[in-house]
Structure formats: structure tokens, C-alpha cells
Amino acid sequence: MSIRYRAGYKYQLAESYEILTPILAEIGISCRFIRLDPEGWLRIREDYAWDGPSGPTMDTPDSMRASLVHDALYQLMCAGQLDRRWRASVDKLFWELLLEDGMEPGRAALWYAAVEIF
């Protein structure tokens, strides 16, 4: 499934996106644009907006899906809906998605280190 964007924000989903994650919420979590079910399915609704990769970096196709998923899961943690004990798993998923989408392993390792530090 590809990610399509809508104009108006830096990035905004033009259609919903879903992915199976290793993040298992004890009960389903749902807010306006994000849903995480107990089996690990993350569903990010159409119109969800995010800033893309953060920090002193370039937004490239091999980083967009990872930044989308990472931002949505961190949003749930920041809102107190997802326990912060999942942080390391969320960061690892970010790294795995970078590699899966074709980012060079050395660059992906630097990005992973940055999210671990900050």
C-alpha cells in the first residue's frame, strides 16, 4: 500500500494507511485520526497531518512511511493513550521501516540513534 498526500500541510494523508506493528495495546486505542488495536494494527486516517522526518535532515521517499508511523505512535504516547514502555519498540519499528523502504543501512542507523537520543 502506498502513501498518498494532500496539499495544505507539510504532509497530509489523502487516503487512510494501515500497517501491522509489534505494538500491542491492551485495549484498542482510538483518537480522531489514529487507531491501534490489540493485535497491533495501526490505522491512520485520511487527512492525518504530520511534519515528516524531524531534525537536520532531508525528507526523502525512503523516510516518509517511517516518519508517518513513528509520529502517529509517538502522538499516542504523548497523549497518554499508549504506555511509554513501548517507546523502544516504536523506535525499532521506525528503523525497520527505513530499511524496508530502501534507506542505506548506515544512514538508517544514524536516524535510529537520533530518535533514541532525542
Side-chain angles (χ1 to χ4, degrees):
M1 177 182 290
S2 64
I3 299 173
R4 294 184 44 219
Y5 308 102
R6 176 170 287 138
Y9 291 88
K10 185 170 181 186
Y11 300 105
Q12 185 179 18
L13 288 179
E15 59 187 37
S16 295
Y17 178 76
E18 64 180 41
I19 183 173
L20 182 60
T21 75
I23 315 305
L24 307 175
E26 291 180 23
I27 59 171
I29 298 171
S30 186
C31 63
R32 183 171 179 199
F33 292 104
I34 306 165
R35 177 171 169 70
L36 179 64
D37 70 23
E39 293 79 34
W41 279 102
L42 176 66
R43 292 175 179 85
I44 307 169
R45 292 172 136 198
E46 176 181 344
D47 292 328
Y48 179 77
W50 80 108
D51 63 354
S54 302
T57 186
M58 295 180 349
D59 298 1
T60 54
D62 57 8
S63 64
M64 297 311 300
R65 184 169 65 125
S67 74
L68 167 66
V69 171
H70 195 258
D71 281 9
L73 290 169
Y74 262 61
Q75 183 175 338
L76 293 178
M77 284 191 290
C78 289
Q81 294 180 287
L82 179 63
D83 192 302
R84 289 187 180 267
R85 70 182 169 90
W86 287 105
R87 181 178 177 223
S89 297
V90 171
D91 291 349
K92 183 178 180 213
L93 176 61
F94 173 76
W95 175 70
E96 291 169 350
L97 292 173
L98 292 172
L99 292 174
E100 191 174 303
D101 288 349
M103 185 175 282
E104 189 274 321
R107 182 173 173 226
L110 288 173
W111 284 43
Y112 177 71
V115 298
E116 286 287 290
I117 293 168
F118 301 106

